[in-house]
Amino acid sequence: VVVNLGSANHDETRWREPERFDVFRRQRPHAAFALGPHTCLGMHLARMETRVLLEELLVMPDLRLDPEAHDVHVTGLTFRSPQALPVRFS
Ligand code: HEM
């Protein structure tokens, strides 16, 4: 059995506008790090890394998605991500 955690975390009956990236979203329990005896052992490190990444990225002046980039789409079943996310600094 392969559980699609990404789908659970995009459940529109639980999350308002689940497809919108919103760093200010009200925190609620979610399944990104799994649940139960196999809950992710590295979740505290992963959260810290993500916080540092966002703190550094979001203050970069003129950082924006590359409007000429194409074929940016999210793939994967257990772990979902784009292969690349081209950005511009001007
Ligand atoms: C955003 C980053 C991460 C996400 C979304 C994530 C997510 C998950 C998920 C969903 C599982 C359960 C897998 C399963 O039951 O089949 C898991 C397990 C695990 N993760 Fe992570 N993880 C992340 C980062 C990390 C990091 C940075 C480490 C270690 C430094 C780590 C170590 C582990 C370990 C050791 C398990 C196995 C736990 C067990 O089976 O008892 N993870 N993770």
Side-chain angles (χ1 to χ4, degrees):
V1 175
V2 177
V3 177
N4 190 333
L5 294 174
S7 180
N9 287 329
H10 288 248
D11 181 351
E12 64 282 352
T13 64
R14 180 172 177 77
W15 308 98
R16 221 175 113 234
E17 295 184 84
E19 302 307 323
R20 199 160 78 88
F21 177 67
D22 179 5
V23 291
F24 301 109
R25 192 181 290 278
R26 186 166 64 88
Q27 290 186 21
R28 303 185 71 183
H30 57 79
F33 294 111
L35 304 159
H38 294 285
T39 297
C40 177
L41 283 179
M43 71 176 166
H44 300 297
L45 174 63
R47 282 185 167 130
M48 188 190 71
E49 289 173 341
T50 306
R51 180 176 53 75
V52 170
L53 171 79
L54 289 175
E55 283 172 358
E56 297 300 320
L57 260 187
L58 296 180
V59 296
M60 285 186 177
D62 304 324
L63 176 69
R64 59 193 171 93
L65 294 173
D66 184 347
E68 287 170 24
H70 56 277
D71 199 27
V72 176
H73 60 270
V74 174
T75 58
L77 181 55
T78 304
F79 295 102
R80 296 178 57 73
S81 65
Q83 294 291 309
L85 190 61
V87 295
R88 293 254 176 109
F89 288 94
S90 60

